[in-house]
Amino acid sequence: MNKTIFVDGKEIEVPQDYTLLQACEAAGAEVPRFCFHDRLSIAGNCRMCLVEVKGGPPKPVASCAMNVRDLRPGPNGEAPEVFTKTPMVKKAREGVMEFLLINHPLDCPICDQGGECDLQDQAMAYGVDASRYAENKRAVEDKYIGPLVKTIMTRCIHCTRCVRFTTEVCGVADLGLIGRGEDAEITSYLENALSSEMQGNVVDLCPVGALTHKPYAFQARPWELKKTESIDVMDAVGSAIRVDTRGREVMRVLPRLNEAVNEEWISDKTRYIWDGLKTQRLDRPYVKTGGRLAAASWGEAFTAIADKIAASKPERIAAIAGDLASVEEMFALKSLMDGLGSANLDCRQDGAALDPALGRSSYLFNATIEGIEDADAVLIIGSNPRIEAPVLNARIRKRMRMGELPVGVIGQPADLTYPTTYLGAGPDTLSELAAGKHAFAKILKKAERPLVILGQGALSRADGAAVLSAAAELAQSVGAISADWNGFCVLHTAAARVGGLDIGFVPGEGGKGVAEIQQAASAGEIDVVFLLGADEVDMGAFGDAFVVYLGTHGDRGAHRADVILAGAAYTEKSGTWVNTEGRVQLGERAGFPPGEAREDWAILRALSARLGKALAFDSLDELRAALYAAHPHMAAIDAIAGDDGAGVANAAARGGKTGGEAFQPAIADFYLTNPIARASATMAECSALAKARAAEAAE
């Protein structure tokens, strides 16, 4: 129900559960604040958002803590009036600002927040030019809260945003406020490191410079940086990010607002990966001669590949795409393989049993990430969303805080930051659930919009196809598929996976998948293998095959390669990625690849000409035109193309016999899942800390 009020003389109708601050913003009035945040609970402790209410108390009111429904009408029933610019409000805000700055060290010239600091901005807009306070400022000891967040606690104004974020959004009670009055301090328990995979967001939330990025300390000023909007590829969520560069160098990665995907949060891996973009980079082609890799020209590298392919038959050539590849380069490589006449190609490094022939909904997170908020029961099969997709896991936690949400887990027990019911370890539990032997089966059937989340840990096994079928069948039987709701959701871990499946980067007729390619290579039946940034496969299984590695870092693939073609990282090319829910997203180029490295599609185009199978495009625009002609849904950026659940029905109908082994986690170490992460010193430190914490917990 709405209510009419006046804000600074302007009439506006707003919902009764709005706070005065939200009502003022809806009317176009600007209200300063430090502690209030749209996505956090209300603390009401900074008092910066004071407004005057006509007919209310004879003093300013904290607009974040008073609701529109609490406003009283005038004596003759007139609509309530709120003022944001009166002398009373001006004087009150100046007083609050003066108090806030009493103990603040005013060290803006050496503060990393300088130039993008709420305290600076609001002191300019609402403060006064002098302080009447002459006593000594208090000082607070800096706290150790981990390798990612640096603390300068003398600057802290006790807004408690960081405390509320870690507790409410992350679900870990790591931070808290101790002491009272002048002795109040924000600290972690016994000064331990924060344990959340999303802790870097507290720096974005901090309105002063009390919390800053430790790896970014004293690196750059915001006005020096060129800002580029892009898409994250560290997991399959496809979070909206902003890449800040200075010259050719990526200086930091920040989140962008995208309500449908990541809201305004990103994971720590997404945020702090940037130092890995600079180290262990491949900046020129290499060719192995006499058992050792030696720098070569592009011509020499292409000649070595051409000679090998000329001596091979089409069926003895194979290609595997990695987890970070964009749709454009996978399309270029597939076109090249088609030109060579080979059907041996695969984008499923982990061997996940997903088949695009079944239909698109058989491998998508169909309910969408935003749709999690509409679910009323969740079953997680063979997945740990906390480390596979932290931002998506935070959305499940958000839904749980909105109201009761039963969550059942089949697989490895883990702390997901919210209460769960552990049902069992493997496919047997899935069968029992389908047969109605578990109490949780009744909960799923009773739910109006149940959600079945199937992880890669359940799919990348020998019986993966049967598990997929059993999960799809269960989703149908509990009513997760209806006209207005598709609750069958596959949670991917690789940013490239859905795009690869969409364009059919899977074995063609008579073609071999990853496992078969490796078996054939070991047996000497495959001569040439192209690895498009594929590092998460067993490099020892390629036998004597000639391996061409097109990638960015001196990682596993480069160590095994006979020829290395230096490619571009995700920040160095314009590319399309499709996230786990099937949303087509465009990432823009923020910088340029180092040395002689080039964009991957351009390398493949040049190689195709050298092989006498020239691809039919000479520019990125022409490549995209060909891609859109072959796969029209790729042209609809930020849209999701569905198939009305046909894929789920096809998967359910396939059947198969499941094994008895327990589901294993798809990711062993959250911080070291790809070549960029393994090149990052920051990620290595986080990984060591996580292992130490796990060992401590095991004791």
Side-chain angles (χ1 to χ4, degrees):
M1 192 176 160
N2 289 356
K3 185 170 183 173
T4 302
I5 64 169
F6 285 91
V7 176
D8 292 334
K10 179 180 177 182
E11 188 176 355
I12 184 170
E13 196 176 292
V14 291
Q16 292 213 25
D17 58 354
Y18 261 33
T19 61
L20 293 193
L21 192 150
Q22 289 170 308
C24 292
E25 298 236 309
E30 190 177 304
V31 179
R33 85 294 301 266
F34 289 114
C35 69
F36 176 82
H37 192 277
D38 290 341
R39 301 182 201 280
L40 304 176
S41 61
I42 291 165
N45 56 8
C46 77
R47 317 312 280 180
M48 195 65 207
C49 63
L50 297 172
V51 296
E52 184 180 345
V53 177
K54 186 176 179 182
K59 58 179 182 178
V61 170
S63 61
C64 71
M66 189 175 189
N67 278 32
V68 168
R69 68 161 65 86
D70 299 328
L71 294 175
R72 288 180 298 183
N76 301 314
E78 305 98 330
E81 291 190 58
V82 178
F83 301 97
T84 66
K85 297 187 178 80
T86 59
M88 179 207 276
V89 172
K90 183 174 184 293
K91 187 182 177 192
R93 287 178 183 168
E94 286 173 355
V96 169
M97 183 57 72
E98 195 175 346
F99 273 117
L100 284 176
L101 296 179
I102 276 176
N103 283 315
H104 192 79
L106 309 179
D107 54 352
C108 307
I110 59 145
C111 177
D112 271 318
Q113 201 87 319
E116 47 190 9
C117 171
D118 291 356
L119 190 63
Q120 281 183 330
D121 296 342
Q122 293 184 38
M124 278 291 292
Y126 304 103
V128 287
D129 61 352
S131 172
R132 293 167 285 180
Y133 189 78
E135 288 79 3
N136 291 333
K137 290 177 182 282
R138 77 167 193 160
V140 183
E141 212 173 279
D142 294 344
K143 310 291 188 295
Y144 170 78
I145 58 171
L148 301 178
V149 181
K150 178 184 174 187
T151 63
I152 307 92
M153 298 315 288
T154 303
R155 298 173 186 158
C156 179
I157 61 167
H158 304 146
C159 69
T160 67
R161 277 186 184 180
C162 54
V163 177
R164 285 174 285 147
F165 172 78
T166 51
T167 308
E168 295 164 15
V169 179
C170 298
V172 293
D174 284 345
L175 283 177
L177 186 125
I178 60 167
R180 297 181 64 146
E182 194 178 43
D183 298 321
E185 292 183 27
I186 303 276
T187 182
S188 65
Y189 182 62
L190 296 180
E191 291 203 24
N192 281 345
L194 302 185
S195 59
S196 172
E197 293 75 22
M198 293 173 61
Q199 60 185 273
N201 293 295
V202 297
V203 180
D204 295 336
L205 289 171
C206 185
V208 293
L211 304 175
T212 58
H213 301 297
K214 202 175 266 189
Y216 176 70
F218 310 128
Q219 295 283 321
R221 286 299 197 182
W223 54 85
E224 298 177 289
L225 304 174
K226 177 171 152 273
K227 300 158 182 69
T228 309
E229 296 189 350
S230 192
I231 298 299
D232 170 51
V233 298
M234 292 300 119
D235 55 31
V237 172
S239 302
I241 58 170
R242 192 185 89 194
V243 181
D244 287 1
T245 52
R246 184 173 61 193
R248 299 176 74 99
E249 205 176 348
V250 175
M251 300 306 293
R252 64 178 180 179
V253 175
L254 297 175
R256 280 189 296 124
L257 183 68
N258 186 341
E259 293 290 355
V261 181
N262 61 309
E263 298 181 296
E264 59 191 84
W265 320 124
I266 53 173
S267 76
D268 293 337
K269 189 163 52 174
T270 301
R271 186 186 295 271
Y272 296 109
I273 199 82
W274 51 267
D275 65 323
L277 292 165
K278 307 172 193 177
T279 49
Q280 298 182 17
R281 285 302 298 269
L282 301 172
D283 60 354
R284 67 189 68 186
Y286 290 85
V287 176
K288 189 174 276 185
T289 48
R292 290 179 71 85
L293 285 165
S297 68
W298 283 104
E300 289 165 347
F302 288 165
T303 300
I305 298 167
D307 292 347
K308 208 70 184 166
I309 284 180
S312 300
K313 292 178 181 170
E315 64 272 13
R316 296 175 73 89
I317 301 168
I320 301 171
D323 291 348
L324 308 183
S326 71
V327 172
E328 284 84 353
E329 62 228 34
M330 286 192 285
F331 182 73
L333 181 54
K334 184 175 187 293
S335 303
L336 177 59
M337 294 298 285
D338 290 345
L340 293 171
S342 173
N344 305 323
L345 64 160
D346 206 345
C347 65
R348 303 162 299 189
Q349 281 190 98
D350 54 9
L354 294 166
D355 186 355
L358 293 172
R360 203 164 187 242
S361 63
S362 69
Y363 59 85
L364 292 186
F365 200 94
N366 294 295
T368 72
I369 296 169
E370 202 172 17
I372 290 171
E373 294 180 26
D374 297 324
D376 46 9
V378 177
L379 175 66
I380 299 172
I381 306 165
S383 174
N384 179 347
R386 180 174 175 179
I387 61 170
E388 290 170 23
V391 174
L392 184 143
N393 194 57
R395 191 76 83 138
I396 300 175
R397 179 172 166 77
K398 178 185 178 184
R399 165 62 188 87
M400 188 164 276
R401 291 184 65 242
M402 288 159 61
E404 190 187 346
L405 180 72
V407 177
V409 174
I410 302 175
Q412 297 293 318
D415 176 14
L416 299 182
T417 73
Y418 42 82
T420 57
T421 306
Y422 185 65
L423 305 175
D428 298 345
T429 312
L430 198 57
S431 308
E432 288 169 16
L433 211 55
K437 292 179 184 173
H438 263 288
F440 202 80
K442 290 178 187 158
I443 293 172
L444 288 172
K445 280 189 172 155
K446 203 187 288 182
E448 285 181 35
R449 288 179 295 279
L451 201 61
V452 177
I453 298 176
L454 186 61
Q456 300 306 297
L459 294 169
S460 51
R461 344 176 331 141
D463 62 349
V467 173
L468 174 70
S469 179
E473 205 175 335
L474 176 67
Q476 286 182 327
S477 69
V478 299
I481 319 292
S482 63
D484 58 347
W485 176 257
N486 186 339
F488 178 76
C489 300
V490 176
L491 178 57
H492 290 272
T493 55
R497 187 67 48 82
V498 177
L501 293 169
D502 276 354
I503 64 168
F505 202 99
V506 290
E509 199 173 328
K512 296 178 174 66
V514 169
E516 293 160 318
I517 290 169
Q518 291 187 313
Q519 285 166 7
S522 297
E525 294 165 17
I526 292 277
D527 296 332
V528 182
V529 179
F530 286 94
L531 297 180
L532 181 60
D535 291 270
E536 318 308 319
V537 289
D538 179 10
M539 296 299 164
F542 289 114
D544 296 325
F546 185 83
V547 175
V548 179
Y549 178 73
L550 171 48
T552 57
H553 285 71
D555 205 71
R556 298 164 186 164
H559 285 285
R560 171 60 186 84
D562 295 285
V563 172
I564 293 174
L565 305 176
Y570 71 106
T571 56
E572 298 156 3
K573 61 191 172 193
S574 177
T576 305
W577 282 273
V578 188
N579 78 347
T580 191
E581 54 184 354
R583 187 182 302 275
V584 181
Q585 297 176 297
L586 205 57
E588 293 300 338
R589 181 172 67 192
F592 292 90
E596 294 174 41
R598 295 290 178 267
E599 291 182 45
D600 305 60
W601 72 266
I603 296 170
L604 291 165
R605 169 65 183 85
L607 176 61
S608 70
R610 180 68 185 79
L611 298 176
K613 306 284 184 187
L615 297 173
F617 42 79
D618 294 320
S619 69
L620 187 59
D621 287 342
E622 287 178 20
L623 188 162
R624 283 187 174 150
L627 172 66
Y628 298 160
H631 307 281
H633 75 277
M634 287 290 175
I637 303 300
D638 208 37
I640 301 171
D643 64 0
D644 296 325
V648 184
N650 293 338
R654 182 168 271 193
K657 187 170 178 7
T658 56
E661 311 84 29
F663 295 132
Q664 295 303 317
I667 292 176
D669 190 333
F670 168 71
Y671 296 102
L672 303 177
T673 53
N674 59 60
I676 306 174
R678 288 189 286 270
S680 162
T682 307
M683 292 296 105
E685 197 176 344
C686 291
S687 172
L689 191 69
K691 282 176 184 161
R693 188 184 284 120
E696 205 176 289
E699 286 172 13

